Amino acid sequence: MTATDRPDAALSTAERSASGGFVKSVVELDRVVIRLAGDSGDGMQLTGNRFTSETASFGNDLSTLPNFPAEIRAPTGTLPGVSSFQLHFADHDIMTPGDAPDVLVAMNPAALKANLADLPGGGLLIVDADEFSARNLAKVGYATNPLEDGSLESWQTVSVPLTSMTLDALADSGLGKKEAERSKNMFTLGLLSWMYHRPTEGTIRFLERQFRRKPEIAAANIAAFRAGFNYGETTEAFAVSYEVKPAPMPPGRYRNISGNQALALGLVAAGQRSGLPLFLGAYPITPASDILHELSKHKAFGVRTFQAEDEIAGISAAIGASFGGALGVTTTSGPGVSLKSEALGLAVMIELPLLVVDVQRGGPSTGLPTKTEQSDLLQAMFGRNGEAPVPVIAPRSPGDCFDAALEAARIALQYRTPVILLSDGYLANGAEPWAIPDVDALPDLTASVDFATEPNGADGEFLPYLRDPETLARPWAIPGTAGMQHRVGGLEKADRTGNISYDPANHDLMTRTRQAKVDGIAAGLPPTEVDDPDGNARVAVIGWGSTYGPIGAACRRIRRSGRSVAQIHLRHLNPMPADLGDILRSYDRVVCPEMNLGQLALLLRAKYLVDVQSHTQVRGLPFRAAELAAVVQDVIDSTSGAPLAADPTGGAE
């Protein structure tokens, strides 16, 4: 029976007979963390994405962590060239891609050496024995073969000749040896699909579609995939397979989505719900480029994408689009924000809606292009000359990038201001199940779009800086509208008339008014949500952006140990919610974990005079829940003086 015609019902049995006549057991698990690691040419990201897609279709909750080198092609078999993909899936709600893998698949010695330290003792280690040649071992400094010298005795090691079995499976494919070897990732995917009872039809359809113009390549990959599945079914090397049942979720239609995909769809939705054409001016940069790629597919929804010659041209084109009556967007990462800063100041001065998406990465300078960090918060707050206030918001999960994009568009349109949306590499490339929303239930943004069509002055003239008394937004007049001529540019504007003005009193007034407009956004924000289940917590943990998952998982662990802790997570970073100061002062201690050197903590201390305890890391990787749980538990102990009820670092998140 092949992978494609095997009935799902057969996968739920407690044990079954393999072709060799022996009985294979099925072990039910509540969660699994798998890490695939190999050379950057081994297709680990594709393999991980396919396994993720099938896991999502099966109904598990999941979270992923892709991790790949910045080099286009590092030397084969070397440590800098190792690419990995971690997937955490469960039969319950989870918040992180897992602190450490339960299963590590190492496609070569470099992958083993780079990742073995993360695999706990007793974990399952699957290696491609064919790649452990003397030459490959020497590349990464192995004096002896770890598959033979006993150094892997602490783990459940299964040595599988993945490469040679793939070649055997494709012996009649007509492909050369090198081409056939490229399908070993599909053999691996087939084996894992058998081990964890993943659906297979979607992967086969994907391969047929992906290689529809090269049917021989499609056939080879499908054959390798089926061979891997059948190998798991028949070999005595794997006497056990595992079942992770679907997670209970609210009714609805779900899809697997990455943060960049969700953000792009959120921008499309913002254009549709505002009735405006969406214009993206962008220069490709890791890890934001996928937003440009995704938006370029949606011209049918009034989306226009412009791949500019540089970062300055990208934002300048987006400002021009907003001046012309579109919803202007520019996407970048930290280095690009630096280049865009002068034009962003121009957008502040002329007071037009603009979305600046910063998908943060490790810095400074080129830094760590493919790694994650949260180090652009202070740049977003203050990284412009002069007093140039800009609203700043941050999504908390891949799926939340959709809602954050809509919220950024609402603020930009309603208050006629540029808005910075701070995502990061972890959110951008990570994925999770996402409930597809009802379009009609999305926020209606048309009320915020009110183009000026008539003079607003007492003498029949148009006053481009005569403001809405509630929002302080200025009129939005599309060029070419009769009687609406007005001046734009970077020089200071006179109040009401918009004429160039060097008057000291006017500059003071306009500077304070622009600040008041941004500060006034706080009045329309919802109350801050505080996750404090029993209301007895004396310690609160506050975070922003992608730290939501690790902080939430850490708080769950602490609560399972019998202690109380509160979690506060900020979406709006400028302005901050109006009630935040009172909330922070209601706790004895406040801890702020960040993937920087304490930028939000600095802002909170300065604004609210609260002694926020900063806990930071800048490793290019997300926090581990166990680490955060230990840090927060120490704070709780020092606050209450009570002994620890149980170890908070263990258990699922």
Side-chain angles (χ1 to χ4, degrees):
M1 185 177 291
T2 67
T4 54
D5 60 15
R6 179 178 179 81
D8 288 345
L11 298 179
S12 62
T13 58
E15 55 185 23
R16 58 189 177 185
S17 296
S19 300
F22 58 93
V23 174
K24 292 201 172 188
S25 300
V26 179
V27 176
E28 188 171 308
L29 303 174
D30 64 345
R31 56 182 286 273
V32 175
V33 180
I34 298 174
R35 183 182 299 177
L36 302 162
D39 192 74
S40 56
D42 284 339
M44 294 297 94
Q45 303 305 317
L46 174 62
T47 306
N49 281 322
R50 285 313 314 160
F51 195 88
T52 298
S53 294
E54 299 298 355
T55 296
S57 69
F58 186 74
N60 296 120
D61 195 17
L62 62 89
S63 179
T64 70
L65 178 61
N67 191 358
F68 42 87
E71 289 80 10
I72 294 175
R73 189 68 177 89
T76 303
T78 63
L79 291 174
V82 173
S83 175
S84 68
F85 189 102
Q86 184 162 304
L87 166 65
H88 181 192
F89 59 102
D91 65 2
H92 57 275
D93 171 50
I94 57 175
M95 304 185 74
T96 75
D99 283 1
D102 303 304
V103 181
L104 172 63
V105 179
M107 303 295 282
N108 61 17
L112 178 67
K113 192 164 192 176
N115 292 277
L116 185 60
D118 292 336
L119 183 66
L124 177 60
L125 173 62
I126 303 173
V127 296
D128 182 359
D130 292 329
E131 292 297 314
F132 281 71
S133 64
R135 183 169 180 267
N136 287 344
L137 292 168
K139 283 183 181 180
V140 293
Y142 276 125
T144 59
N145 190 339
L147 303 184
E148 301 171 353
D149 63 11
S151 61
L152 301 180
E153 290 180 353
S154 298
W155 297 275
Q156 303 177 56
T157 304
V158 182
S159 181
V160 182
L162 294 172
T163 302
S164 57
M165 285 195 297
T166 302
L167 292 176
D168 290 343
L170 302 185
D172 299 326
S173 66
L175 299 180
K177 181 175 181 292
K178 196 168 185 179
E179 284 185 307
E181 281 184 358
R182 292 175 182 160
S183 297
K184 67 181 179 180
N185 63 325
M186 288 297 106
F187 187 100
T188 305
L189 179 59
L191 173 59
L192 291 174
S193 297
W194 172 82
M195 284 181 63
Y196 293 98
H197 302 171
R198 300 297 90 184
T200 59
E201 294 84 354
T203 293
I204 291 174
R205 287 195 301 269
F206 167 81
L207 292 171
E208 291 172 341
R209 183 173 64 251
Q210 185 77 2
F211 299 105
R212 60 186 178 278
R213 294 177 181 172
K214 296 182 178 180
E216 70 282 1
I217 301 297
N221 278 282
I222 292 171
F225 176 71
R226 286 174 167 159
F229 190 98
N230 292 333
Y231 173 75
E233 183 86 349
T234 58
T235 183
E236 296 186 30
F238 296 95
V240 176
S241 64
Y242 305 93
E243 183 175 36
V244 181
K245 292 184 176 180
M249 293 184 180
R253 187 181 179 193
Y254 289 80
R255 61 163 287 183
N256 182 51
I257 201 165
S258 71
N260 274 347
Q261 289 174 326
L263 203 155
L265 294 180
L267 294 173
V268 174
Q272 293 292 298
R273 298 299 287 171
S274 65
L276 298 175
L278 181 77
F279 178 90
L280 173 68
Y283 180 73
I285 184 171
T286 302
S289 299
D290 285 341
I291 302 173
L292 169 62
H293 302 158
E294 182 66 30
L295 284 177
S296 68
K297 304 174 184 177
H298 300 293
K299 294 180 175 63
F301 293 100
V303 177
R304 295 295 177 266
T305 54
F306 167 54
Q307 182 172 318
E309 65 268 29
D310 55 39
E311 295 282 3
I312 298 171
I315 187 173
S316 298
I319 293 172
S322 290
F323 181 57
L327 178 56
V329 182
T330 188
T331 54
T332 188
S333 190
V337 175
S338 301
L339 294 167
K340 295 177 188 289
S341 60
E342 183 180 2
L344 184 51
L346 170 64
V348 172
M349 178 64 76
I350 63 178
E351 300 187 51
L352 286 173
L354 175 72
L355 302 186
V356 179
V357 178
D358 176 4
V359 186
Q360 301 164 95
R361 69 191 206 186
S365 187
T366 310
L368 305 174
T370 60
K371 310 303 180 183
T372 193
E373 206 164 282
Q374 289 184 300
S375 53
D376 295 350
L377 176 56
L378 294 184
Q379 178 179 226
M381 292 286 292
F382 308 118
R384 294 164 293 283
N385 65 296
E387 295 287 346
V390 172
V392 180
I393 71 172
R396 68 185 191 181
S397 68
D400 189 49
C401 289
F402 178 89
D403 297 308
L406 279 166
E407 174 65 357
R410 179 193 71 82
I411 292 173
L413 293 169
Q414 185 173 349
Y415 293 89
R416 308 283 196 274
T417 178
V419 176
I420 294 179
L421 176 59
L422 286 178
S423 180
D424 63 46
Y426 171 31
L427 296 182
N429 296 316
E432 66 179 358
W434 178 63
I436 299 174
D438 178 3
V439 173
D440 293 335
L442 296 176
D444 184 358
L445 304 181
T446 56
S448 299
V449 180
D450 184 18
F451 294 123
T453 57
E454 298 178 352
N456 57 357
D459 298 327
E461 74 275 34
F462 175 56
L463 301 175
Y465 284 84
L466 181 64
R467 301 175 182 277
D468 182 293
E470 292 187 7
T471 64
L472 298 182
R474 78 172 186 88
W476 190 2
I478 297 178
T481 306
M484 300 293 105
Q485 297 91 336
H486 62 287
R487 185 188 299 273
V488 294
L491 293 172
E492 182 61 279
K493 305 296 180 291
D495 183 36
R496 295 165 60 88
T497 66
N499 296 329
I500 294 173
S501 173
Y502 298 102
D503 178 67
N506 177 78
H507 179 56
D508 186 89
L509 172 65
M510 294 295 278
T511 299
R512 294 180 186 277
T513 302
R514 288 188 289 264
Q515 183 66 58
K517 179 173 70 170
V518 173
D519 292 342
I521 295 171
L525 300 180
T528 302
E529 293 185 10
V530 180
D531 181 18
D532 186 358
D534 57 17
N536 296 325
R538 297 172 61 187
V539 174
V541 188
I542 188 169
W544 67 279
S546 64
T547 58
Y548 172 77
I551 291 174
C555 289
R556 287 183 179 181
R557 292 172 180 235
I558 290 170
R559 289 165 188 156
R560 283 198 298 271
S561 75
R563 297 300 189 84
S564 296
V565 65
Q567 181 183 7
I568 304 165
H569 201 80
L570 298 182
R571 165 175 282 179
H572 298 88
L573 299 165
N574 189 40
M576 293 182 186
D579 59 355
L580 183 60
D582 291 337
I583 291 172
L584 295 180
R585 285 186 284 267
S586 69
Y587 291 94
D588 294 343
R589 302 283 292 278
V590 178
V591 183
C592 183
E594 296 180 79
M595 292 187 293
N596 55 46
L597 296 183
Q599 297 185 18
L600 177 61
L602 178 70
L603 296 174
L604 294 175
R605 290 188 191 113
K607 185 173 181 64
Y608 301 114
L609 302 180
V610 172
D611 185 18
V612 176
Q613 178 176 328
S614 183
H615 177 71
T616 65
Q617 73 169 38
V618 280
R619 300 187 298 120
L621 295 169
F623 280 108
R624 293 180 175 177
E627 172 196 345
L628 287 183
V631 169
V632 176
Q633 186 66 68
D634 287 344
V635 175
I636 293 174
D637 288 346
S638 66
T639 303
S640 64
L644 180 64
D647 180 6
T649 62
E653 55 263 21

